[in-house]
Amino acid sequence: MASFTFRRQLTIEWGHCDPAGIVFNSRFFEFFDASTWLLFESALGVKAQDLASVHNIVGIALVDARANFLKPAKFGDLVELASRISEFRRSSFDVEHRLSVNGALAVEGSESRVWAVRDKTDPDKIATAAIPADVIAKFG
Amino acid sequence: MASFTFRRQLTIEWGHCDPAGIVFNSRFFEFFDASTWLLFESALGVKAQDLASVHNIVGIALVDARANFLKPAKFGDLVELASRISEFRRSSFDVEHRLSVNGALAVEGSESRVWAVRDKTDPDKIATAAIPADVIAKFG
Amino acid sequence: MASFTFRRQLTIEWGHCDPAGIVFNSRFFEFFDASTWLLFESALGVKAQDLASVHNIVGIALVDARANFLKPAKFGDLVELASRISEFRRSSFDVEHRLSVNGALAVEGSESRVWAVRDKTDPDKIATAAIPADVIAKFG
Amino acid sequence: MASFTFRRQLTIEWGHCDPAGIVFNSRFFEFFDASTWLLFESALGVKAQDLASVHNIVGIALVDARANFLKPAKFGDLVELASRISEFRRSSFDVEHRLSVNGALAVEGSESRVWAVRDKTDPDKIATAAIPADVIAKFG
């Protein structure tokens, strides 16, 4: 289990919220995606936009996303989002996201992603590849 | 298991897609949310915006959302989204969403929601209530 | 002034709306963008995703967007959006969008776009090109 | 002309960008809206979510929004957004937004907003009211 954790704070915007005055569910998945990129940037020391070219991959493709909504987040709330890799497998990994409002866990999210490369026989297709050991090592 | 299924077709827009040219993950959760409202409107014969007042509830609050991405959807793709209640419990229920591109399942989604009412002792809080039998019956 | 008009109806979704219960402003610009693609698809008889390759362009790049909000649109409202080219110039054009709620004009939008091609001397850059006469003719 | 300027930096996210790899136009209007709230919070010393109750208004309702796209912003770009009130009128005002990438102006935006209150004769309607002199004064 990787211990490297990326934390950021963000303030909930008017445009994030729905008529109930709370963050609309899809926004949390935007927050998670952005934090996963920042987690990699932070752990690997490579800018998010250079991740694919530096590692000769297509990207870190999302195959599963999930969120459990425990408490609402409202307009103006300062939230903290803590993200880390909870498991590395051969060519895939899970990211765990914990979003807190005023110190209380509000949303638990998880993503499963694959280390995606171009298929050698059909460059229009995507295949998965083993995640390099040195990449995994940088997440501690 | 409820058999009433709401189906709709939508065309993937330029603005739904990311730099990889495929639908960005959070958009699918927007599609699911909209289909759940339409599923209720269609099954109950009550306009989505009147659902809360007609049933004296705050809403059908989302507590869990999940998506499994099997195949990408691209700009211009005509997709079909089929949604139904997969399980009713006392005060909560699950919605199953199946999004297909060219007849092939591309994204499987699920939502868990609660029948939400105002808390009697604290109107600022939300409580859950039993889903009326006649509501459940309308989903067949 | 082109007379060809593309009309579509859409229903305002919960997720389009803000804590005031009305459509959040950025959503109208999504609606306009999607309608512009559909306007071209409809006038030219070419699928939106094929527009660039068929016409050997990079796209119809947006250089200016504007909206004037006259009346709000709310969750569940069925709105009509009518879009047409209000002016063609040599390599640019204006799209006029009129969004109505219950027959009353609610939002007036406009976009200015250019017929964008790859720069011949620097393929990483975008240049503009003259819009073909047969393209303009199809907008009547 | 008000001189008080609110500046913030933000990094362009993957999910902000379209298949051309650049920020999709509607996102800029989200950025502008968020900056306007922060501009008021910063100038008035009142949290954005308390602005309405402190000033006994419904809000600062948007009546016109516009953006002029000069240069694209791409995934990973660190952008600076500078926002200020360019003009106060009796019950309305204009906000000017200037978004720069690497020090070069990329998008010029403007919003017109009104100081919105409940209509005294019909509380379901919105009316405009004179902006208090002490509010205007705080924008210097």
Side-chain angles (χ1 to χ4, degrees):
Chain A
M1 196 176 283
S3 58
F4 186 87
T5 301
F6 176 77
R7 293 172 200 279
R8 65 178 174 124
Q9 290 189 315
L10 65 154
T11 300
I12 300 304
E13 301 173 7
W14 176 262
H16 292 153
C17 298
D18 66 17
I22 62 176
V23 175
F24 183 64
N25 89 86
S26 73
R27 293 290 187 170
F28 290 110
F29 294 96
E30 294 188 18
F31 300 164
F32 296 160
D33 188 87
S35 275
T36 295
W37 285 102
L38 292 167
L39 169 64
F40 270 76
E41 181 168 305
S42 182
L44 303 184
V46 172
K47 288 205 171 285
Q49 63 270 41
D50 298 330
L51 183 67
S53 60
V54 165
H55 290 282
N56 202 25
I57 57 177
V58 172
I60 46 173
L62 190 67
V63 293
D64 195 274
R66 180 167 193 168
N68 186 221
F69 307 102
L70 307 169
K71 291 171 181 290
K74 301 183 310 298
F75 174 46
D77 279 349
L78 176 66
V79 307
E80 177 166 302
L81 182 47
S83 306
R84 71 189 184 95
I85 309 286
S86 56
E87 186 182 356
F88 273 114
R89 289 175 296 272
R90 185 186 168 277
S91 59
S92 65
F93 58 94
D94 297 334
V95 190
E96 175 197 277
H97 301 284
R98 294 169 65 86
L99 185 144
S100 303
V101 181
N102 295 325
L105 183 64
V107 184
E108 280 184 303
S110 63
E111 296 178 320
S112 294
R113 291 176 180 262
V114 295
W115 197 252
V117 296
R118 296 233 168 272
D119 188 296
K120 280 167 190 165
T121 56
D122 181 351
D124 283 348
K125 285 197 176 164
I126 299 298
T128 60
I131 305 168
D134 67 312
V135 165
I136 295 174
K138 284 183 177 154
F139 288 87
Chain B
M1 198 177 279
S3 57
F4 186 87
T5 300
F6 177 77
R7 293 172 201 279
R8 64 178 175 123
Q9 291 188 316
L10 65 153
T11 300
I12 300 305
E13 301 173 6
W14 176 262
H16 292 153
C17 299
D18 67 16
I22 63 176
V23 176
F24 183 65
N25 87 87
S26 74
R27 293 290 187 171
F28 290 110
F29 294 96
E30 295 188 18
F31 300 165
F32 297 160
D33 188 86
S35 276
T36 295
W37 285 103
L38 292 167
L39 169 64
F40 270 76
E41 182 168 306
S42 182
L44 302 185
V46 172
K47 287 206 171 286
Q49 64 270 41
D50 299 330
L51 182 67
S53 60
V54 166
H55 289 283
N56 202 25
I57 56 176
V58 172
I60 46 173
L62 190 67
V63 293
D64 196 274
R66 180 167 192 167
N68 186 221
F69 307 102
L70 306 168
K71 291 172 181 289
K74 301 183 310 297
F75 175 45
D77 280 349
L78 177 65
V79 308
E80 177 166 301
L81 181 48
S83 306
R84 71 187 184 96
I85 309 286
S86 56
E87 186 182 356
F88 274 114
R89 289 174 297 271
R90 184 186 169 278
S91 58
S92 65
F93 57 94
D94 296 335
V95 189
E96 175 198 276
H97 301 283
R98 292 169 67 86
L99 186 145
S100 303
V101 181
N102 295 326
L105 184 63
V107 184
E108 280 184 303
S110 64
E111 296 179 321
S112 295
R113 289 176 181 262
V114 294
W115 198 253
V117 295
R118 294 233 169 275
D119 188 297
K120 279 168 191 163
T121 56
D122 181 351
D124 283 348
K125 286 196 174 164
I126 299 297
T128 61
I131 305 168
D134 66 312
V135 165
I136 295 174
K138 284 182 177 154
F139 287 88
Chain C
M1 199 176 283
S3 58
F4 185 87
T5 301
F6 176 78
R7 293 173 201 279
R8 66 178 174 125
Q9 290 189 317
L10 66 153
T11 300
I12 300 304
E13 301 173 6
W14 176 262
H16 293 154
C17 298
D18 67 15
I22 63 176
V23 176
F24 183 64
N25 89 85
S26 73
R27 293 290 187 170
F28 291 110
F29 294 96
E30 295 188 19
F31 301 164
F32 296 159
D33 188 86
S35 275
T36 295
W37 285 103
L38 292 167
L39 170 64
F40 270 76
E41 181 167 307
S42 181
L44 302 184
V46 173
K47 287 204 172 285
Q49 63 270 42
D50 298 331
L51 183 66
S53 60
V54 166
H55 289 283
N56 202 24
I57 57 177
V58 172
I60 46 174
L62 190 68
V63 292
D64 196 274
R66 181 168 192 168
N68 186 222
F69 306 103
L70 306 169
K71 291 171 182 289
K74 302 183 309 297
F75 174 45
D77 279 349
L78 176 66
V79 308
E80 177 166 302
L81 182 47
S83 305
R84 71 188 184 94
I85 309 285
S86 57
E87 186 181 356
F88 274 113
R89 289 174 297 272
R90 185 185 168 279
S91 59
S92 65
F93 58 94
D94 296 334
V95 189
E96 174 197 276
H97 301 284
R98 293 170 66 87
L99 185 145
S100 303
V101 181
N102 296 324
L105 184 63
V107 184
E108 281 184 302
S110 64
E111 297 179 320
S112 295
R113 291 176 180 262
V114 294
W115 198 252
V117 296
R118 295 233 170 273
D119 189 296
K120 279 167 191 164
T121 56
D122 180 351
D124 284 347
K125 286 197 175 163
I126 299 298
T128 61
I131 305 168
D134 66 313
V135 165
I136 295 174
K138 284 182 177 156
F139 287 87
Chain D
M1 198 176 281
S3 57
F4 185 87
T5 300
F6 177 78
R7 294 173 199 278
R8 65 179 174 123
Q9 290 189 315
L10 65 154
T11 301
I12 301 305
E13 301 173 7
W14 176 262
H16 293 154
C17 298
D18 66 17
I22 64 176
V23 176
F24 182 64
N25 87 86
S26 73
R27 293 290 188 170
F28 290 110
F29 293 96
E30 294 187 19
F31 301 164
F32 297 160
D33 188 87
S35 276
T36 295
W37 285 103
L38 292 167
L39 169 65
F40 271 76
E41 182 168 307
S42 181
L44 302 184
V46 172
K47 288 203 171 285
Q49 64 269 42
D50 298 330
L51 182 67
S53 60
V54 166
H55 289 282
N56 202 25
I57 57 176
V58 171
I60 46 174
L62 190 67
V63 293
D64 196 274
R66 181 168 192 167
N68 187 221
F69 307 103
L70 307 169
K71 291 171 181 290
K74 301 183 310 296
F75 174 45
D77 279 349
L78 176 66
V79 307
E80 177 166 302
L81 182 48
S83 305
R84 69 186 186 97
I85 309 284
S86 57
E87 186 182 355
F88 273 114
R89 289 174 297 271
R90 185 187 167 276
S91 58
S92 66
F93 58 93
D94 296 336
V95 189
E96 175 197 276
H97 301 283
R98 293 170 65 87
L99 186 146
S100 303
V101 180
N102 296 326
L105 184 63
V107 185
E108 281 184 303
S110 63
E111 296 178 321
S112 294
R113 291 178 180 260
V114 295
W115 197 251
V117 296
R118 296 232 169 275
D119 188 297
K120 279 168 191 163
T121 56
D122 181 352
D124 283 348
K125 286 196 175 163
I126 298 298
T128 61
I131 305 167
D134 67 312
V135 165
I136 295 174
K138 284 182 177 154
F139 287 87

